[in-house]
Amino acid sequence: MDVKRAYFYAPAKRPIFIELPVEDRHPGEEDMVAQLNLSLYGTRDAAQNWTQEYTRALKAAGFTVGRASPCNFYHKQTGMALSVHGDDFTVSGPESALEWLKEFFKTRWDVKSVILGPEAHQAQEIKVLNRSIRWTARGIEYEADPRHREVILKELNLEDCRPVTTPCGPQEPGCLEVEGELLSGAEATKFRAIVARLNYLAADRSDIQYASKEVSKKMANPRVPDWLLLKRIGRYLAGAARAVQVFEWQQKEIGISTYVESDWAGDRKTCKSTSGGMVFRGSHLLKSWSTNQQIIALSSGEAELYAQVKGAAQTLGIFSMAADFGECLSGTVYSDSSAALGIVTRSGLGKVRHIRVQYLWLQERVAQNDLMVRKVAGEANPADLLTKGLAQELLNRHVKFC
């Protein structure tokens, strides 16, 4: 559901005066200003006032505000789960409950709504924040906004290029350490704009997250080799035009499976490592990431520990979000590193005394059975996709896993 002119429904909380447009002035009001009764787009507290307005309304309708995020709401009686993004409300629940909520909204605001479902009178495809969501016999499909790929190819002048099969080959990151000429001011600005759009697209496409992360490291002072890597990613997007994530129909799962991986000292210039991870509920990929570790790890086991801590934190975050929607989950973090598993299943630093104790909170969580940790074979770890450039065969295997 989309609320039209949402901020205009939120009462102003502080005195704000505006100059009246000429066409709205009456005789004798030429030297007068007007005080706002409702929030106006562009004022500092308009978004906060709108948040308070819809929170009051949803609480009056019987919703409970989420503790992890005040944008999440749960209606225990009907089982509706609701999330708010600005003036967009995304709700799941029985059709009768959704219809009731729509009528409730209409008593307060001007709303536009559509229901996704399998029936003839329901939509089989909708747009949420420009992402396509489709209801199919196989499951629910989720596809990133194709406009970003189109703009990237146009800006790189690669609309009719010969595509490549991987966004970053196994040896590709090495070119990032090759010194080259700095891009000119206009070229550097264009580079940053394209990379920023690529980052936005990568949030919905795990196949380009590692390559996007690598090229993002060069935004401050982009050089000619960095532009070549960006074009390599563009050529991959030319061939991999669409990436549709399918949430196949499955039995309700209460278990979360998180796979983590690291690439020790993969950055040849800084010797820093990469952490990658994927969070699954059954066969459904909920979240993935590829990030740079901020500490220089002295061993592969230490780098894997930091990746495991990152994965555990993300898993606990998923637990908290699920609790906002009335669900209680359990989870397991999978790693292919025996050394990292040994650290988190014991107590204290042991022989790795240089590690900061702030990273040992996971030991307590594992001991309390808040999380489980398990070993996974390296070739079966899908998080490998997010820590290094892969050959086509391995890339395709992991993307299919997603």
Side-chain angles (χ1 to χ4, degrees):
M1 284 184 276
D2 175 51
V3 179
K4 300 179 181 178
R5 301 178 296 276
Y7 288 2
F8 293 159
Y9 293 104
K13 301 296 184 181
R14 60 188 175 92
I16 302 179
F17 298 90
I18 62 171
E19 182 178 348
L20 285 170
V22 175
E23 59 271 19
D24 289 336
R25 296 175 185 169
H26 296 291
E29 296 180 343
E30 289 77 11
D31 298 325
M32 299 181 69
V33 294
Q35 182 176 359
L36 290 178
N37 294 323
L38 300 173
S39 299
L40 184 67
Y41 285 85
T43 54
R44 286 180 297 176
D45 55 355
Q48 183 180 14
N49 295 342
W50 166 239
T51 299
Q52 294 174 357
E53 165 66 17
Y54 71 67
T55 299
R56 280 194 302 269
L58 289 171
K59 290 173 72 174
F63 282 87
T64 302
V65 185
R67 296 184 63 187
S69 171
C71 298
N72 295 335
F73 296 83
Y74 179 63
H75 196 278
K76 186 175 182 179
Q77 184 177 356
T78 62
M80 283 189 293
L82 182 149
S83 186
V84 187
H85 185 278
D87 56 7
D88 293 316
F89 293 73
T90 305
V91 198
S92 65
E95 183 179 9
S96 58
L98 297 178
E99 292 289 353
W100 169 82
L101 182 62
K102 181 171 67 173
E103 294 304 317
F104 175 81
F105 276 16
K106 286 183 177 180
T107 63
R108 293 173 173 266
W109 312 312
D110 184 10
V111 298
K112 180 175 63 175
S113 64
V114 60
I115 294 179
L116 177 72
E119 304 298 334
H121 64 279
Q122 298 168 335
Q124 273 71 60
E125 181 174 354
I126 62 173
K127 294 279 189 179
V128 177
L129 301 177
N130 288 326
R131 278 85 165 177
S132 296
I133 301 178
R134 291 180 286 271
W135 188 294
T136 70
R138 183 182 175 191
I140 293 179
E141 295 181 354
Y142 176 97
E143 184 173 0
D145 183 357
R147 179 172 53 93
H148 297 299
R149 170 191 166 274
E150 294 167 2
V151 172
I152 290 171
L153 293 182
K154 182 178 180 180
E155 291 295 315
L156 292 173
N157 195 27
L158 294 175
E159 295 165 296
D160 299 317
C161 72
R162 181 179 178 182
V164 294
T165 56
T166 61
C168 182
Q171 304 301 322
E172 199 76 26
C175 77
L176 293 173
E177 282 70 47
V178 177
E179 293 294 332
E181 293 184 10
L182 287 169
L183 297 179
S184 66
E187 290 175 329
T189 299
K190 184 176 182 179
F191 178 90
R192 297 184 186 106
I194 297 173
V195 172
R197 188 177 291 274
L198 180 66
N199 272 327
Y200 195 83
L201 178 63
D204 297 320
R205 293 191 56 162
S206 57
D207 58 331
I208 61 171
Q209 282 180 349
Y210 172 72
S212 175
K213 185 266 297 182
E214 285 295 303
V215 77
S216 297
K217 294 191 296 187
K218 301 301 179 178
M219 289 181 72
N221 296 295
R223 298 176 180 271
V224 172
D226 309 323
W227 182 262
L228 297 178
L229 178 59
L230 181 58
K231 295 193 74 171
R232 165 65 183 259
I233 301 172
R235 291 173 61 198
Y236 171 75
L237 290 175
R242 300 176 62 197
V244 179
Q245 186 175 346
V246 181
F247 295 89
E248 295 182 340
W249 305 121
Q250 64 179 16
Q251 296 296 320
K252 190 172 185 178
E253 293 275 351
I254 63 170
I256 296 294
S257 300
T258 301
Y259 295 84
V260 297
E261 174 67 298
S262 77
D263 181 34
W264 179 40
D267 190 316
R268 301 177 187 178
K269 187 173 183 180
T270 66
C271 292
K272 290 184 178 180
S273 308
T274 295
S275 290
M278 290 182 167
V279 182
F280 290 88
R281 185 173 185 179
S283 64
H284 298 167
L285 176 62
L286 305 182
K287 185 179 179 67
S288 61
W289 62 89
S290 178
T291 59
N292 296 311
Q293 295 182 5
Q294 298 306 308
I295 296 177
I296 298 177
L298 301 186
S299 67
S300 60
E302 183 183 346
E304 294 283 359
L305 169 66
Y306 298 144
Q308 209 163 38
V309 169
K310 169 83 172 179
Q314 295 290 339
T315 305
L316 293 174
I318 297 290
F319 288 179
S320 298
M321 185 183 68
D324 284 353
F325 297 134
E327 293 194 67
C328 182
L329 302 179
S330 61
T332 303
V333 180
Y334 292 91
S335 171
D336 56 18
S337 170
S338 298
L341 289 170
I343 295 173
V344 300
T345 53
R346 66 176 180 237
S347 179
L349 292 172
K351 294 183 179 180
V352 285
R353 293 184 175 88
H354 64 283
I355 294 178
R356 296 181 183 179
V357 294
Q358 71 188 66
Y359 293 101
L360 299 184
W361 61 265
L362 182 54
Q363 291 180 343
E364 182 178 355
R365 288 302 189 104
V366 171
Q368 294 174 348
N369 291 321
D370 295 334
L371 283 172
M372 293 188 292
V373 291
R374 293 287 186 271
K375 181 75 181 291
V376 64
E379 61 272 12
N381 190 349
D384 196 39
L385 171 69
L386 302 160
T387 60
K388 60 181 73 72
L390 300 178
Q392 179 185 0
E393 181 181 356
L394 195 54
L395 172 70
N396 291 342
R397 185 201 308 171
H398 289 319
V399 169
K400 185 178 181 180
F401 189 102
C402 301

